[in-house]
Structure formats: structure tokens, C-alpha cells
Amino acid sequence: MNASESTPTSGGTRPARVRTRHLQDAKDTGRRFAMLTAYDQFSAQAFEAAGIDVLLVGDSVGTTVLGYDSTLHTTHQDMLTFTGAVARSVHRPLIVADLAFGSYQTGPQDAVNHAVELMRAGAQAVKLEGGEAILPQVRAIVAAGIPVMGHLGFTPQSVHALGGHRVQGREHAAADRLADDALALQEAGAFAIVLELVPSGVAERLTEILAIPTIGIGAGPACDGQVLVWQDMAGLSDFHGTFVHRFAELGADLRRAATTYREDVEGRRYPGPGHAFS
């Protein structure tokens, strides 16, 4: 890596632009990396400034921004819009975009077509959910030159088939199926795999047997990286999942700011003399 591709920091040298190979380097050297969802200019720029390595433009935008009750309502056009907003706003993080429900389940050609459009919108990799059933799609996308991130465990687009938001892989047979799916995704060319709502021991086993990085969300501390929905992490949402640590309380801060604004407007304290033009 030449000087133009790296930036010195207090924690060592970080790449000026994160690539998939840097996540592999992190796994190989035992360095943990952080990933957050991002859907807009301001959150993406804040997370870039904080040194977040990977930004996931998740189909969770449907539930966190658009007001839907599940990710099944998020469309491919939604993903193009929000991927573009993030991609135009940052330089350093690796930008991964979700393939929306219905955009890849219909077969490899549809998967490739929609992945190509996400890359044109600014993504540098795409993520899709599932194991053995979507291996043809993974192989086709990788063959088209597009990096693929897998997603196993609880897969939100299959929430109805899975019987709700439930931890996956608790039974030995289910854990073995997860391992088989993870190894198959790796063989198909995936560069990393998200493990969601998986027992920590199972996630540790998968992290050990896989050569590619694992990224946990509700999967314990053994994964190579961690991801959270940013509104959950920052206390902006009402979600209080067991695996979520609220690193801030932005929701409370925003309510206080809005309340003070309303009170100052009603009390004729805002706008004041310094907020007007002569």
C-alpha cells in the first residue's frame, strides 16, 4: 500500500478507502472492525468522521426511515435512492447495499441486473440473505465482478417463514445447517457473512471455520466485525433488543431540542434580534 492509499491514526495506519481486502486483512490479523447502517448524507458523514469502516445501506431503511413494519416493503428503487445519497456523501468507508426483497429471489439474472444498478448508484458491494437456495445468485453476481456479502441466521426478508424474530441455530441440526450454508457461501465467492440472532457459541464456531470475515448482530463477541442499525445504537429508535447497546440518547436530545424550540417560538423568544435582517 502506498502513501496515497493509507492514513496514519492513533491506532495505526488505516486505508484512505476501505476495500473488501481490508476486511480480510482485519480477520487475518485479529483486528475487529465496525459497521453501521447509513441512509443519508448526515449520518454517513458522521460515521465516516468517526472512522467506521463499513456503511451498510440496509433494506432496514424501510422500517427506520420510511415507516414500514418490515423490510419486505422496501423496494429496489428505495435502495437505489438511499445508496446514492450515502455514496455521494463519503469517500473512505466501504459501502454495501442490500438487495431488496424480490430483486434476487426470482433467479440469477434478476439478481445480477439489480446488483449492477446498485453498483451504478454508488455501492461497492451488495448483500443478500440466505444460504443454499441463493447460491446460484451469489455465483452469478460474483462472476459479474460484484463483491457479495452473505447474511445468515435470522434473515428479516424471511420473517414470516421463520415464524417471527427468533434466534436461529440453537439446535445442533440447525447449527450444522448454518455451518454448511456459511461454507457454501464462502465457496460461491462471498467476501464476508453477516450473522444475525445466532447463539454466541455457534457464531464463534462459524468464525473459526470460515476463512472470510463474519459480522455479528446479536451474535456475540467472537465475530470479526459488528454491525448495528444506527438509530438503535444512538438511541433514536424505540428498539431495546438484548444485543443493542445504546451509545447515546439522541431521541431524548431531539425531543428536548424540539420542545425548547416550540416554547421559544410560543414565548416570542425566537427569533430574536440576532436572527433577523435589517
Side-chain angles (χ1 to χ4, degrees):
M1 183 182 297
N2 61 45
S4 65
E5 296 177 323
S6 62
T7 303
T9 70
S10 59
T13 299
R14 291 181 179 272
R17 180 180 286 276
V18 178
R19 310 284 187 179
T20 59
R21 63 184 175 87
H22 295 120
L23 304 191
Q24 187 63 54
D25 290 343
K27 180 183 179 76
D28 294 342
T29 59
R31 180 180 74 81
R32 296 292 188 262
F33 59 88
M35 174 173 165
L36 281 173
T37 62
Y39 317 105
D40 64 273
Q41 172 186 355
F42 296 108
S43 63
Q45 289 176 343
F47 302 154
E48 178 178 49
I52 301 298
D53 289 319
V54 189
L55 297 182
L56 172 63
V57 187
D59 58 358
S60 51
V61 69
T63 56
T64 59
V65 176
L66 299 177
Y68 296 124
D69 62 0
S70 81
T71 63
L72 298 176
H73 303 287
T74 306
T75 67
H76 178 61
Q77 183 56 56
D78 293 334
M79 294 308 305
L80 293 176
T81 298
F82 289 97
T83 297
V86 171
R88 289 188 294 270
S89 304
V90 296
H91 173 78
R92 180 183 176 274
L94 177 70
I95 300 172
V96 181
D98 272 339
L99 281 163
F101 177 67
S103 69
Y104 62 94
Q105 288 88 348
T106 49
Q109 191 58 58
D110 275 349
V112 171
N113 291 343
H114 290 111
V116 166
E117 291 183 350
L118 285 173
M119 297 294 281
R120 284 177 173 157
Q124 293 146 5
V126 299
K127 180 170 74 64
L128 61 167
E129 300 177 3
E132 181 180 0
I134 53 95
L135 291 179
Q137 287 91 320
V138 173
R139 294 192 183 100
I141 296 170
V142 171
I146 299 171
V148 170
M149 180 179 285
H151 187 150
L152 293 173
F154 174 69
T155 47
Q157 293 178 9
S158 302
V159 61
H160 298 305
L162 295 174
H165 294 72
R166 304 172 60 196
V167 174
Q168 303 294 308
R170 279 188 165 139
E171 297 79 20
H172 289 302
D176 287 343
R177 284 195 297 274
L178 280 177
D180 290 342
D181 281 341
L183 289 169
L185 284 171
Q186 176 177 268
E187 186 277 331
F191 72 88
I193 300 176
V194 169
L195 302 176
E196 182 168 358
L197 298 187
V198 172
S200 57
V202 175
E204 183 174 8
R205 171 189 171 192
L206 298 182
T207 301
E208 289 175 351
I209 66 174
L210 288 170
I212 60 176
T214 59
I215 303 169
I217 177 168
C223 295
D224 302 298
Q226 296 290 331
V227 61
L228 285 173
V229 172
W230 86 259
Q231 291 94 335
D232 299 340
M233 175 277 297
L236 193 61
S237 76
D238 294 326
F239 180 65
H240 296 273
T242 301
F243 60 89
V244 175
H245 179 77
R246 295 166 77 93
F247 291 85
E249 292 294 342
L250 297 190
D253 289 343
L254 187 57
R255 285 190 293 274
R256 280 193 293 269
T259 299
T260 301
Y261 165 70
R262 174 185 57 78
E263 292 172 345
D264 283 2
V265 169
E266 292 174 351
R268 297 181 181 272
R269 293 181 294 274
Y270 178 83
H275 304 121
F277 299 98
S278 58

